[in-house]
Amino acid sequence: MLIPVSSSGYVARLDTSGNYLGSIGFFGSKPGALNFPVAVEKSFNNKFMILDSARFCVVCYNQNGKAVGEFGGKGLSPGWVIN
């Protein structure tokens, strides 16, 4: 299971029994960091895509938890995020 911990800026990884397996991301406001993650999804190529509502973007991490890029930004046009 992947659970955003919004107030702490990371995503917790748990097994189906609820055991903690580690985390993805770290708190911050620079590229690759998470400020207020609200949703997470694992892609078909094993990347974790995390929607950060405070930074108005989707931050992507590889399966080892390393930030590999991000997209989006604050706005109303296609591809942009507004809360």
Side-chain angles (χ1 to χ4, degrees):
M1 294 184 285
L2 301 167
I3 302 174
V5 183
S6 300
S7 60
S8 296
Y10 70 91
V11 172
R13 296 176 64 198
L14 307 171
D15 66 16
T16 55
S17 297
N19 297 311
Y20 182 74
L21 300 175
S23 64
I24 303 166
F26 55 94
F27 183 79
S29 58
K30 297 189 182 209
L34 299 171
N35 195 286
F36 200 84
V38 294
V40 61
E41 186 69 37
K42 189 171 181 181
S43 71
F44 67 92
N45 59 354
N46 292 320
K47 299 278 190 302
F48 296 99
M49 299 176 294
I50 303 170
L51 175 62
D52 191 310
S53 70
R55 293 191 55 236
F56 304 98
C57 67
V58 175
V59 184
C60 302
Y61 293 87
N62 65 17
Q63 58 191 354
N64 297 322
K66 180 181 178 196
V68 294
E70 57 185 58
F71 59 91
K74 186 175 184 179
L76 297 174
S77 299
W80 295 90
V81 179
I82 190 76
N83 284 339

